[in-house]
Amino acid sequence: MINGSIVLTAHRRPTYLRESLESWRKVRGVEDWRFYVFLEPTDRTEKMYEVLNDFDDIIDGVVLNEEKLGVLKNPHKAMSQSFESSADFTVLAEEDIVVTSDVLEYFTWTAETLRDDKKILAALGWSDHLYENDAQFSEVQTLEWFNPLIWGTWRDRWDEVLSPTWDFDYSWDGWD
């Protein structure tokens, strides 16, 4: 079984956060993954905590950043802390992404099946290329392409490729 972690970055949209977490609550196998929320401090932090408290059955912890890190730094912090706390594979989600009930079955399969294929940098949970290539939703394709909506990667890819080359200032158009 994969030692998996889900990290969800959140800012100041409690309505989206609730909708996203309601979808995560329906995910088969969510209880087998550690689930952390990395929350930015804003004028809506209290409202965000009100939502988060309703989902303590699936959330293992909330990290409130001391200062606003933004869309470039908060995901890096979340991924780094997940791997530092022993995850072998981490999924990065956002407060406005609704997932299907089988999303972790897919990520578990990719994490285990593609673990040793070093040509694969990340597993993407969403792709608009499905429509272009006439693929079925049950197909997995390998593409030289990235979509940041929901994705996961392995500790070695994080340590060796992604973390060292992460764009913190849009000098390369952002990490995504």
Side-chain angles (χ1 to χ4, degrees), residues 13-23 50-51 54-55:
R13 299 180 292 180
T15 303
Y16 285 158
L17 178 62
R18 180 172 298 282
E19 187 177 357
S20 177
L21 290 173
E22 284 173 353
S23 72
E50 289 173 10
V51 172
D54 290 341
F55 294 90

Side-chain angles (χ1 to χ4, degrees), residues 5-10 36-41 49 62-85 90-92 151 158 162-163 166-168 175:
S5 181
I6 302 155
V7 293
L8 184 143
T9 56
Y36 299 98
V37 176
F38 286 76
L39 182 61
E40 296 278 36
Y49 268 108
V62 176
V63 176
L64 177 62
N65 296 330
E66 291 181 21
E67 62 183 14
K68 184 178 175 188
L69 299 178
V71 297
L72 296 178
K73 295 178 183 172
N74 197 23
H76 187 275
K77 176 182 178 176
M79 295 292 283
S80 292
Q81 286 192 6
S82 173
F83 288 119
E84 288 167 9
S85 68
T90 299
V91 172
L92 176 64
W151 60 280
W158 178 256
L162 291 166
S163 182
W166 197 269
D167 185 2
F168 292 101
W175 65 269

Side-chain angles (χ1 to χ4, degrees), residues 25-123:
R25 182 178 269 155
K26 296 173 187 169
V27 171
R28 294 186 297 270
V30 71
E31 66 279 354
D32 298 327
W33 290 63
R34 290 181 314 283
F35 195 126
Y36 299 98
V37 176
F38 286 76
L39 182 61
E40 296 278 36
T42 71
D43 60 329
R44 294 190 181 171
T45 299
E46 187 175 319
K47 290 181 189 272
M48 297 294 278
Y49 268 108
E50 289 173 10
V51 172
L52 293 168
N53 289 335
D54 290 341
F55 294 90
D56 61 357
D57 57 318
I58 62 169
I59 296 173
D60 295 297
V62 176
V63 176
L64 177 62
N65 296 330
E66 291 181 21
E67 62 183 14
K68 184 178 175 188
L69 299 178
V71 297
L72 296 178
K73 295 178 183 172
N74 197 23
H76 187 275
K77 176 182 178 176
M79 295 292 283
S80 292
Q81 286 192 6
S82 173
F83 288 119
E84 288 167 9
S85 68
S86 80
D88 296 324
F89 187 89
T90 299
V91 172
L92 176 64
E94 298 179 14
E95 72 188 339
D96 60 346
I97 301 299
V98 172
V99 296
T100 60
S101 61
D102 64 348
V103 68
L104 289 180
E105 293 169 18
Y106 163 73
F107 279 120
T108 298
W109 180 85
T110 58
E112 293 172 350
T113 305
L114 303 174
R115 172 186 354 228
D116 297 325
D117 188 346
K118 304 297 183 186
K119 295 180 292 186
I120 307 295
L121 183 64

